[in-house]
Amino acid sequence: MSIVYMRRAQNSDLFEIKHIIDGARKYLKKQGIDQWQSGYPDEEIIKKDIDNSEGFVLIVDHHVAGYAAVIIGEDLAYRFIEEGAWLNASIEYATIHRFALSENYRGQKLSQRFMTAILTYFNILQINDFRIDTHPENISMRRVIKSNGFSKQGIIHVDEKQAINNLRWAYQLVLR
């Protein structure tokens, strides 16, 4: 049985995280999805996540298998939502960004486990409002989001430099 857990990302994880992000970028491109094709997220953004203690890694048998950034507080891209509304007006929520799993671990339901670990960890810290977005064509990520109880709230626009399409479906989960 594999040992699977989540921990904060460290500078020593940067190489593996970049490899995971590059693999996710290629996976999206292969599916014809323009998400992350402009170079976002880059090393500078990931370093900032780590420096701000906002980066998290999924560990499987002592290997970095996944990466996500979790940012507490208002996300400016989420301030304006179209074709829907947030479930509340709170600005104290956790936004999950840059969620990616290594190509070596796809198909093992580890994305769901990683998301569950994030939700559990932050719920213990008394954060119970979670928001996330993804490209409308990113069916794999939409499946992970929905299987963890999130509901689609509307459409937002992200500030992804040089993105062809910055429209994203926005989701929210409020734990009580």
Side-chain angles (χ1 to χ4, degrees), residues 8-175:
R8 287 198 189 273
Q10 304 164 355
N11 286 320
S12 59
D13 299 323
L14 188 58
F15 177 80
E16 288 90 351
I17 294 167
K18 285 175 22 183
H19 183 72
I20 289 167
I21 297 295
D22 288 342
R25 187 175 286 118
K26 290 175 188 170
Y27 179 72
L28 292 167
K29 184 175 184 173
K30 187 176 179 181
Q31 295 178 67
I33 302 169
D34 63 1
Q35 185 176 10
W36 290 7
Q37 299 308 303
S38 65
Y40 168 91
D42 59 19
E43 183 174 336
E44 182 180 331
I45 289 170
I46 296 165
K47 281 183 181 179
K48 183 180 173 193
D49 292 343
I50 294 169
D51 291 346
N52 292 338
S53 298
E54 296 171 336
F56 291 85
V57 290
L58 179 70
I59 304 296
V60 178
D61 291 331
H62 311 291
H63 298 283
V64 176
Y67 178 74
V70 183
I71 298 128
I72 306 300
E74 184 178 26
D75 186 319
L76 297 180
Y78 286 37
R79 192 177 275 179
F80 302 105
I81 187 166
E82 301 171 354
E83 298 182 28
W86 297 114
L87 297 172
N88 55 43
S90 174
I91 59 169
E92 283 302 314
Y93 53 84
T95 308
I96 303 166
H97 285 298
R98 301 179 271 291
F99 190 96
L101 192 69
S102 167
E103 58 197 341
N104 299 328
Y105 296 95
R106 285 195 193 116
Q108 300 178 36
K109 304 283 185 197
L110 290 169
S111 292
Q112 284 85 351
R113 290 178 74 178
F114 191 17
M115 185 68 74
T116 298
I118 291 169
L119 297 174
T120 301
Y121 176 80
F122 283 93
N123 188 250
I124 289 168
L125 298 176
Q126 304 299 311
I127 302 293
N128 62 14
D129 190 350
F130 298 89
R131 300 179 190 190
I132 191 169
D133 65 84
T134 194
H135 192 287
E137 296 175 13
N138 192 340
I139 294 167
S140 298
M141 190 64 207
R142 285 180 19 217
R143 190 175 299 123
V144 170
I145 292 167
K146 288 180 183 180
S147 70
N148 278 279
F150 286 81
S151 60
K152 184 179 175 210
Q153 298 308 117
I155 295 171
I156 61 149
H157 296 273
V158 296
D159 184 23
E160 190 176 312
K161 295 175 185 165
Q162 301 169 348
I164 296 166
N165 176 5
N166 70 351
L167 180 142
R168 299 290 182 265
W169 285 5
Y171 297 82
Q172 186 175 17
L173 171 65
V174 178
L175 303 173

